[in-house]
Amino acid sequence: MKIAEIMTTDVETCPPNVTIQDIAAKMREINVGSIPICEEGKIIGIVTDRDIVLRGIAEELETDAPISEIFSETLITGTEEMLVEEAASLMAEHQIRRLPIVHKEQVVGIVSLGDIAVRGKTPGEAETALEKVSEPAKPRR
């Protein structure tokens, strides 16, 4: 099964100059834990609720600081043609729970471990990916 069959295609993105407060409010509004950061239509990073807590609040940044101060620039992405198993392996290898799906550097979707577990029909792959993602990792930036 290809990742395009299970990914979420209605993905909200934000520019790097949006504030930490605005991103947090957007996450709450649309009930997501991550938002890709795009500039001139191209993905340049991703911010997670964890980034907000660990790099923003814990570092005592003001909530009106731009998200560019805390988003993850190390970007792991997938493609629509990628198999679900490949996505799960990539997520496990890099210890990430959400994988932006891109076409020519533009976000066309996002897939989470939950998507893989529920819709990917590969419980073994999702379980393996979750185990790997849950292992202690080195901090990313």
Side-chain angles (χ1 to χ4, degrees):
M1 176 182 292
K2 291 187 179 180
I3 210 68
E5 297 175 55
I6 68 165
M7 70 183 186
T8 299
T9 56
D10 186 22
V11 181
E12 291 278 340
T13 65
C14 288
N17 63 342
V18 74
T19 68
I20 294 170
Q21 173 65 42
D22 289 341
I23 285 267
K26 176 64 79 176
M27 286 179 174
R28 181 186 63 210
E29 175 188 330
I30 60 177
N31 195 29
V32 298
S34 69
I35 295 182
I37 305 300
C38 296
E39 193 167 50
E40 297 178 15
K42 294 183 179 180
I43 188 168
I44 60 169
I46 191 164
V47 67
T48 66
D49 45 10
R50 190 168 195 269
D51 293 330
I52 292 170
V53 171
L54 298 181
R55 295 184 188 156
I57 296 169
E59 295 296 324
E60 299 181 7
L61 289 180
E62 297 293 325
T63 59
D64 63 352
I67 205 66
S68 60
E69 291 191 29
I70 65 168
F71 75 87
S72 297
E73 296 173 30
T74 303
L75 195 57
I76 308 301
T77 61
T79 65
E80 297 167 282
E81 297 79 28
M82 176 179 269
L83 296 176
V84 170
E85 293 82 5
E86 293 173 306
S89 293
L90 186 64
M91 293 166 80
E93 177 185 343
H94 295 281
Q95 295 186 307
I96 56 175
R97 296 177 186 270
R98 300 164 190 101
L99 182 68
I101 306 301
V102 299
H103 178 76
K104 296 184 180 178
E105 299 181 61
Q106 294 191 342
V107 178
V108 294
I110 196 161
V111 67
S112 70
L113 282 180
D115 296 329
I116 291 172
V118 173
R119 298 186 294 210
K121 296 185 177 83
T122 56
E125 291 290 338
E127 183 178 328
T128 299
L130 182 57
E131 287 173 6
K132 295 285 187 187
V133 167
S134 298
E135 290 175 358
K138 299 175 191 168
R140 294 190 322 250
R141 181 73 175 113

